[in-house]
Amino acid sequence: MGGSSAQQPGRGGRGACVLASFLLWLHLEPTKSTPSLSEVCGKTRFHGKIFGGQKAEPERWPWQASLLLRGSHICGAALIDKAWVLSAAHCFQRSRNPSDYRILLGYNQLSKPTSYSRIMTVNKLIVHPDYDKYHRQGSDIVLLQLHVPVEFNSHVLPACVPDNNTKFTLEKPCWISGWGMITEDKFLPQPFQLQEAEVFLIENQICSAFFQPPEPGVSGQYAVKDDMVCAGTVETEKSICRGDSGGPLVCPVNGSWYLAGLSSWSVECQHPIASPSVFSRVSYFFNWIQENKAASPDPDPNLAPPQENPPALKGSHNQGSVLKPSICMALLSSQTLLLLLLLRIL
């Protein structure tokens, strides 16, 4: 993941009290009363401002997951419930056999698991039926059901799933995170530290101006559609990169972090980065997510594979790819750049 900076907007006093109460619950013995999903989703320890480089601190993004294919990291993912994870559909082109995949949760450094780290097996893999059907990279989303529900703690928590009525503001910073490559030709080095970057949402109409429109009658060209959302910054050039696919784009709403998008496609993450990154718009798929969760019975835990020890990944892990349009589609016009900068000032 290209980019740096680590600064989070502050919360009000009421929000801090709610967060403090929740964190106290995390360290108490379990009781008969279990918080609902809406009470725990989108909460982290961090409620003030944080300054640093590209590295994300432990517990900062507790919904961040790594998707493993036959033991190698290929993509990111995001926890949305005790037994459900979202990722990008294009990450599953090599196999759609659930038993080939594992989900890592509670990791900050992929080569250094902690007592909070978990490796989860996948019971069910639901690729959106319209993936890449009506337009290039359309419906780039997949829903994964775990064999066994994960136990929430301060390192493993779900992000909130936005519905169609959730409003994100362009003025508030959002965040992307992942274990992807630093640039197109530079792997993330050991200990494979989770990376983060601050970005801003960009309206689709403005985002589309960064890319040449598809030519009439020519199939397979990239375009920004309603099921997508764009984010980035022109000033500091932050972008998703290979291995970040399926990872979270989260934005703050009323003191909680909502999963606004899943990393889908971008131009090459080399200097200069000439366009925003494009994500699957999670709110667009809210009904599809809820319907599939409701239609999927809980798996029998007795039929789950044996529990595995959280692995310590070593060497150059097998990075997946953030899909990329051809270079001629990422021509940044001076008018578009000027417009985006003016909008940021106003």
Side-chain angles (χ1 to χ4, degrees), residues 119-171:
I119 181 170
M120 313 298 293
T121 55
V122 178
N123 175 66
K124 191 174 184 180
L125 194 162
I126 308 171
V127 176
H128 199 286
D130 293 337
Y131 167 62
D132 211 26
K133 184 176 181 180
Y134 298 109
H135 49 269
R136 188 68 186 270
Q137 290 311 112
S139 302
D140 190 14
I141 188 170
V142 64
L143 187 59
L144 300 104
Q145 184 187 42
L146 307 179
H147 274 114
V148 179
V150 68
E151 294 184 3
F152 293 154
N153 58 62
S154 58
H155 292 69
V156 179
L157 288 171
C160 299
V161 177
D163 59 25
N164 295 323
N165 297 317
T166 305
K167 302 299 182 184
F168 298 112
T169 60
L170 302 180
E171 294 78 20

Side-chain angles (χ1 to χ4, degrees), residues 15-331:
C17 289
V18 172
L19 182 60
S21 300
F22 168 69
L23 292 173
L24 177 61
W25 168 81
L26 285 177
H27 295 281
L28 294 176
E29 292 295 324
T31 64
K32 295 181 179 179
S33 176
T34 302
S36 66
L37 181 63
S38 61
E39 290 176 314
V40 300
C41 75
K43 302 296 192 299
T44 75
R45 279 185 178 275
F46 294 90
H47 54 87
K49 292 185 176 181
I50 297 175
F51 296 87
Q54 296 178 331
K55 297 179 180 180
E57 296 296 328
E59 301 178 292
R60 183 156 163 81
W61 311 120
W63 40 83
Q64 175 74 52
S66 167
L67 175 69
L68 303 186
L69 172 61
R70 303 185 187 100
S72 295
H73 169 88
I74 59 165
C75 284
L79 184 70
I80 60 167
D81 205 338
K82 284 193 171 184
W84 292 96
V85 173
L86 285 177
S87 189
H90 77 259
C91 294
F92 295 84
Q93 297 182 79
R94 280 176 275 184
S95 171
R96 292 198 177 180
N97 182 354
S99 64
D100 286 339
Y101 295 93
R102 297 291 185 271
I103 299 292
L104 299 185
L105 294 166
Y107 276 75
N108 185 252
Q109 298 176 337
L110 290 182
S111 68
K112 295 183 178 180
T114 69
S115 59
Y116 295 98
S117 302
R118 299 289 183 270
I119 181 170
M120 313 298 293
T121 55
V122 178
N123 175 66
K124 191 174 184 180
L125 194 162
I126 308 171
V127 176
H128 199 286
D130 293 337
Y131 167 62
D132 211 26
K133 184 176 181 180
Y134 298 109
H135 49 269
R136 188 68 186 270
Q137 290 311 112
S139 302
D140 190 14
I141 188 170
V142 64
L143 187 59
L144 300 104
Q145 184 187 42
L146 307 179
H147 274 114
V148 179
V150 68
E151 294 184 3
F152 293 154
N153 58 62
S154 58
H155 292 69
V156 179
L157 288 171
C160 299
V161 177
D163 59 25
N164 295 323
N165 297 317
T166 305
K167 302 299 182 184
F168 298 112
T169 60
L170 302 180
E171 294 78 20
K172 288 187 177 181
C174 299
W175 290 81
I176 53 177
S177 54
W179 289 284
M181 296 183 70
I182 303 299
T183 65
E184 288 294 321
D185 54 6
K186 182 179 180 182
F187 282 91
L188 183 68
Q190 286 201 40
F192 309 129
Q193 168 76 46
L194 182 65
Q195 305 291 297
E196 63 179 15
E198 182 187 69
V199 294
F200 288 85
L201 298 182
I202 300 171
E203 292 181 351
N204 279 19
Q205 184 177 1
I206 296 175
C207 183
S208 296
F210 284 82
F211 304 96
Q212 289 183 346
E215 298 178 12
V218 179
S219 62
Q221 291 184 298
Y222 288 83
V224 181
K225 299 293 186 177
D226 290 342
D227 60 344
M228 303 173 184
V229 62
C230 297
T233 57
V234 174
E235 300 91 337
T236 50
E237 297 190 345
K238 297 164 188 173
S239 172
I240 57 178
C241 200
R242 291 177 56 197
D244 288 324
S245 290
L249 163 69
V250 292
C251 302
V253 177
N254 297 327
S256 296
W257 291 95
Y258 280 74
L259 187 62
L262 301 167
S263 299
S264 183
W265 56 276
S266 71
V267 298
E268 290 188 353
C269 47
Q270 297 279 25
H271 177 78
I273 295 172
S275 78
S277 299
V278 184
F279 304 78
S280 298
R281 187 186 296 270
V282 174
S283 62
Y284 187 93
F285 301 100
F286 177 79
N287 291 337
W288 177 80
I289 293 170
Q290 298 303 106
E291 290 167 2
N292 278 278
K293 286 175 62 178
S296 301
D298 294 336
D300 185 348
N302 295 319
L303 300 179
Q307 181 64 48
E308 302 172 12
N309 293 323
L313 301 190
K314 300 183 183 297
S316 296
H317 40 302
N318 182 18
Q319 295 284 2
S321 62
V322 168
L323 298 183
K324 305 176 186 304
S326 59
I327 191 66
C328 64
M329 291 188 61
L331 300 177

